């Protein structure tokens, strides 16, 4: 059985039966002895104020004070949904600074059917706005290359369902579509689509529980720009198998449409 990952903690049982359990990268120790992803580190408070955590075991970003962008496979579908709690405002989920609100509506990409087939994005409307900055989404491909940063509260070792209390981040490098296709083609998976972007560095990757979280980089003005959404991959940090992310620039217009729909419902 192919050990593919769809990086949502809440979907582990289902995905294990269909795609196989995730694997994780090697571990190292922080100065305080806590484990961390090799090459990554805990994030300082306030560094990425727009990243949030979903109670379903996914990440997300604030694209408007009252709307979160996440992966399509993190939600059940479009429509009313008050089941999710969204936490933001601190890298430490247990901090007194952390704020928690509830979901009210979901707008999932109309073309979504499976993470590996693309259109893996969704918007979640909240019952009240966060008093936090929002992230800017890439609207074209000019920054869809180079070195990126990916972050989340997900697992740090293979097969673990344990999620992190504190946000962690790691840098990964762009992998071209043709190279990514060749790598996955070796195991019969020639499915890296035009609305996906691949990124990797040896021993560095997003993993289970990081789904929906952001792949970002700095733009020419020094501002953070969201390039991708954590989506799927073959294991975690496996050599020759990059992580695969939803490519934000390819569906930025569709996201804008979804935002308009949710805003009309919030009005």
């Amino acid at each position: 059985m192919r050990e593919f990952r769809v990086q949502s903690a809440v979907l582990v049982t289902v995905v294990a039966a269909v795609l196989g359990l995730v694997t994780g990268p090697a571990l190292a120790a922080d100065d305080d002895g806590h484990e961390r992803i090799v090459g990554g580190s805990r994030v300082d408070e306030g560094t990425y104020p727009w990243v949030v955590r979903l109670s379903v075991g996914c990440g997300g970003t604030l694209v408007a004070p009252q709307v979160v962008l996440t992966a399509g496979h993190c939600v059940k579908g479009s429509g009313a949904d008050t089941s999710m709690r969204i936490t933001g405002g601190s890298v430490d989920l247990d901090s007194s600074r952390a704020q928690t609100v509830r979901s009210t509506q979901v707008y999932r990409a109309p073309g979504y059917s499976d993470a590996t087939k693309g259109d893996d994005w969704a918007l979640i409307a909240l019952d009240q706005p966060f008093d936090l900055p929002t992230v800017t989404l890439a609207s074209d491909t000019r920054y869809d290359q180079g070195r990126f940063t990916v972050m989340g509260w997900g697992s740090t070792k293979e097969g673990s369902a344990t999620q992190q209390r504190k946000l962690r981040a790691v840098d990964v490098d762009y992998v071209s579509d043709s190279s990514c296709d060749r790598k996955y083609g070796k195991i019969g998976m020639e499915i890296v689509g035009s609305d996906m972007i691949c990124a990797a560095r040896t021993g560095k990757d997003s993993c289970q529980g990081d789904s929906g979280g952001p792949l970002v980089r700095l733009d020419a003005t020094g501002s953070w720009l969201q390039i991708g959404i954590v989506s799927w991959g073959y294991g975690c940090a496996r050599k020759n198998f990059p992580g695969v992310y939803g490519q934000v620039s390819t569906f930025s217009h569709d996201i804008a449409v979804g935002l308009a729909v949710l805003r009309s419902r919030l009005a």
Side-chain angles (χ1 to χ4, degrees), residues 10-11 54 56 58 68 70-84 103-114 119-125 258 261-262 265:
V10 73
L11 297 179
L54 279 58
V56 293
C58 287
V68 167
T70 189
H73 71 263
C74 288
V75 300
K76 300 172 185 177
S78 295
D81 188 336
T82 60
S83 67
M84 289 178 282
S103 60
T104 61
Q105 292 276 337
V106 172
Y107 180 97
R108 187 162 71 180
Y112 175 83
S113 62
D114 178 273
D119 278 329
D120 192 17
W121 63 270
L123 296 167
I124 302 171
V261 170
L262 289 185
R265 293 174 182 173

Side-chain angles (χ1 to χ4, degrees), residues 1-264:
M1 178 180 288
R2 302 298 190 193
E3 294 185 0
F4 287 90
R5 71 170 186 261
V6 178
Q7 297 166 302
S8 167
V10 73
L11 297 179
V12 170
T13 303
V14 174
V15 173
V18 179
L19 301 177
L21 288 173
V22 300
T23 61
L27 302 176
D30 287 331
D31 293 338
D32 60 4
H34 288 87
E35 291 180 333
R36 65 174 176 84
I37 297 174
V38 169
S41 61
R42 287 180 177 172
V43 172
D44 291 335
E45 196 71 82
T47 306
Y48 310 111
W50 26 258
V51 67
V52 298
R53 180 68 169 170
L54 279 58
S55 60
V56 293
C58 287
T61 51
L62 286 172
V63 293
Q66 208 166 342
V67 182
V68 167
L69 174 66
T70 189
H73 71 263
C74 288
V75 300
K76 300 172 185 177
S78 295
D81 188 336
T82 60
S83 67
M84 289 178 282
R85 299 182 308 281
I86 294 86
T87 301
S90 177
V91 298
D92 183 348
L93 297 176
D94 290 343
S95 169
S96 59
R97 300 180 185 179
Q99 310 164 39
T100 299
V101 302
R102 297 199 75 91
S103 60
T104 61
Q105 292 276 337
V106 172
Y107 180 97
R108 187 162 71 180
Y112 175 83
S113 62
D114 178 273
T116 60
K117 292 181 172 63
D119 278 329
D120 192 17
W121 63 270
L123 296 167
I124 302 171
L126 311 176
D127 66 353
Q128 56 185 300
F130 279 103
D131 183 18
L132 295 169
T134 58
V135 70
T136 301
L137 302 180
S139 59
D140 56 52
T141 61
R142 82 181 97 167
Y143 292 108
D144 289 5
Q145 57 186 318
R147 180 156 293 178
F148 309 116
T149 300
V150 63
M151 65 205 68
W153 287 271
S155 301
T156 59
K157 62 182 179 179
E158 181 174 347
S160 173
T162 302
Q163 305 297 289
Q164 304 304 300
R165 168 182 161 184
K166 296 182 179 180
L167 184 67
R168 296 174 184 273
V170 67
D171 291 339
V172 290
D173 295 324
Y174 169 73
V175 176
S176 69
D177 288 356
S178 57
S179 176
C180 200
D181 270 334
R182 285 195 301 272
K183 294 175 188 298
Y184 278 95
K186 292 177 181 179
I187 55 170
M189 292 294 294
E190 299 180 35
I191 59 173
V192 179
S194 61
D195 64 348
M196 303 176 194
I197 186 169
C198 299
R201 285 181 77 193
T202 302
K204 303 179 183 190
D205 199 2
S206 50
C207 201
Q208 174 189 330
D210 292 326
S211 276
L215 181 78
V216 299
R217 61 159 293 173
L218 294 173
D219 66 13
T221 69
S223 300
W224 288 109
L225 189 67
Q226 184 167 352
I227 304 298
I229 302 168
V230 180
S231 185
W232 64 276
Y234 183 45
C236 300
R238 290 195 182 188
K239 185 178 180 180
N240 295 323
F241 292 101
V244 185
Y245 301 79
Q247 191 169 4
V248 169
S249 61
T250 65
F251 37 71
S252 60
H253 173 74
D254 295 331
I255 290 174
V257 171
L259 274 169
V261 170
L262 289 185
R263 282 171 172 153
S264 68

